[in-house]
């Protein structure tokens, strides 16, 4: 349980869902974790739960759309702990008001890009100088989305912003690799959390389960395991990689579920 021993990690958007799972997994492996997000009460509750389990965590309020908030998070973390080893960029706008190109307004587009791409860019920019001071550099883990894998009927702005996160991952990996800074991306598939489960219609769950190659939906721990690997020294020779953790959803032809339903292997 010491894969992240003595490492200092920021996990953005860790007041709910996947972020909570990552934060718990990191402290279980020995990291000191800064839980952060806009919801102070929920963030402090996450920290309290972690401390009850014997973990080392603290909360810092942060708004991924506010540059000054990002700057303060980074500077306060380094002041308190003396360094920053891992940055997990999980905070994002899910784009619930997203849609087709003709339905989107400039304001809707900009709001999603501001949180999902610009915010990720800026927090990386602020973290880089501190990671470059570390003898062992650092690890940046971006949380992308399977939405960036292919076109869809909606969620246009969200998908485009997350595709930008994919390219940002590879750019950072290339530009700062010689400074011992790695950058990788984890693309979640359908991840069912205590927070989002009541809002996911059963019909949608059935569609996903018929196309997923395993026999269950994803959970926050599935993403957390990948993040632990990318944050640990085990992945020190892995950088610029984008891994899709979706139960195999995007690894096959889109007609598999329909052919399976009629008992056929092909046309």
């Amino acid at each position: 349980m010491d894969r992240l021993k003595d490492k200092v990690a920021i996990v953005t958007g860790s007041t709910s869902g996947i972020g909570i799972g990552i934060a718990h997994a990191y402290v279980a492996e020995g990291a000191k974790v800064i839980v952060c997000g806009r919801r102070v009460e929920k963030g402090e509750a996450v920290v309290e739960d972690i401390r009850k389990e014997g973990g080392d965590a603290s909360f810092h309020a942060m708004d991924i759309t506010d540059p000054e908030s990002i700057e303060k998070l980074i500077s306060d973390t380094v002041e308190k702990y003396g360094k920053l080893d891992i940055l997990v960029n999980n905070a994002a706008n899910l784009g619930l008001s997203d849609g087709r190109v003709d339905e989107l307004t400039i304001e809707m587009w900009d709001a999603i890009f501001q949180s999902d791409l610009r915010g990720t860019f800026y927090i990386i920019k602020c973290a880089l100088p501190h990671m470059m001071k570390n003898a062992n550099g650092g690890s940046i883990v971006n949380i992308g989305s399977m939405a960036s894998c292919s076109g869809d009927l909606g969620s246009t702005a969200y998908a485009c912003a997350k595709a930008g996160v994919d390219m940002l991952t590879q750019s950072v990996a290339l530009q700062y690799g010689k400074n011992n800074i790695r950058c990788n991306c984890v693309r979640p598939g359908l991840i069912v959390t205590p927070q989002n489960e009541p809002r996911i219609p059963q019909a949608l769950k059935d569609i996903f389960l018929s196309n997923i190659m395993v026999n269950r939906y994803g959970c926050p721990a599935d993403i957390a395991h990948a993040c632990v690997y990318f944050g640990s020294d085990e992945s020190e020779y892995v950088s610029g990689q984008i891994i899709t953790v979706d139960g195999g959803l995007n690894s096959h032809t889109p007609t598999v579920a329909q052919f399976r339903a009629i008992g056929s292997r092909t046309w």
Side-chain angles (χ1 to χ4, degrees):
M1 305 296 288
D2 292 331
R3 298 163 72 192
L4 302 177
K5 185 178 180 180
D6 298 327
K7 293 185 183 293
V8 176
I10 290 174
V11 181
T12 70
S14 45
T15 59
S16 64
I18 291 173
I20 293 178
I22 296 170
H24 276 272
Y26 269 37
V27 295
E29 293 291 348
K32 299 175 178 64
V33 174
I34 296 84
V35 172
C36 56
R38 292 178 296 182
R39 294 171 289 188
V40 176
E41 186 175 339
K42 289 189 176 183
E44 290 177 343
V46 173
V47 168
E48 183 178 354
D49 288 342
I50 288 173
R51 289 176 176 171
K52 286 179 180 177
E53 297 170 1
D56 189 337
S58 59
F59 175 75
H60 197 295
M62 188 274 296
D63 182 347
I64 196 64
T65 67
D66 181 1
E68 291 185 4
S69 175
I70 290 172
E71 292 165 6
K72 185 166 177 56
L73 167 67
I74 298 296
S75 62
D76 287 355
T77 296
V78 174
E79 181 179 351
K80 180 175 182 177
Y81 293 100
K83 62 173 182 172
L84 173 61
D85 300 296
I86 306 169
L87 170 62
V88 180
N89 290 312
N90 175 65
N93 182 343
L94 295 179
L96 297 179
S97 61
D98 203 344
R100 298 179 359 149
V101 172
D102 63 299
E103 298 168 339
L104 285 168
T105 65
I106 288 292
E107 291 76 18
M108 293 162 64
W109 177 276
D110 287 348
I112 292 172
F113 266 72
Q114 184 181 39
S115 61
D116 293 15
L117 185 54
R118 193 187 79 166
T120 300
F121 150 76
Y122 194 64
I123 196 169
I124 291 174
K125 178 181 174 67
C126 293
L128 282 170
H130 301 286
M131 288 187 170
M132 286 191 280
K133 293 177 183 178
N134 296 340
N136 295 322
S139 176
I140 298 169
V141 185
N142 294 325
I143 304 301
S145 172
M146 68 173 184
S148 67
C149 296
S150 57
D152 205 344
L153 296 173
S155 301
T156 308
Y158 177 73
C160 290
K162 286 300 188 179
V165 170
D166 292 350
M167 185 52 64
L168 178 61
T169 297
Q170 295 180 325
S171 296
V172 171
L174 172 63
Q175 294 166 14
Y176 301 96
K178 297 301 183 182
N179 298 104
N180 292 324
I181 295 173
R182 295 174 289 111
C183 187
N184 294 286
C185 180
V186 179
R187 289 173 175 163
L190 175 64
I191 304 298
V192 178
T193 72
Q195 291 79 21
N196 70 16
E197 185 167 18
R199 302 195 305 269
I200 303 176
Q202 187 59 47
L204 180 61
K205 292 180 182 179
D206 292 342
I207 289 171
F208 271 90
L209 196 58
S210 66
N211 283 280
I212 293 171
M213 296 173 68
V214 297
N215 293 316
R216 64 173 178 84
Y217 312 112
C219 64
D222 294 314
I223 307 305
H225 292 322
C227 291
V228 167
Y229 171 70
F230 281 136
S232 74
D233 294 340
E234 297 168 10
S235 62
E236 64 179 7
Y237 198 57
V238 180
S239 193
Q241 300 306 302
I242 302 168
I243 179 173
T244 305
V245 183
D246 65 353
L249 179 64
N250 283 281
S251 65
H252 57 71
T253 60
T255 53
V256 164
Q258 290 87 343
F259 280 123
R260 181 180 287 157
I262 64 174
S264 175
R265 293 183 180 177
T266 184
W267 59 276

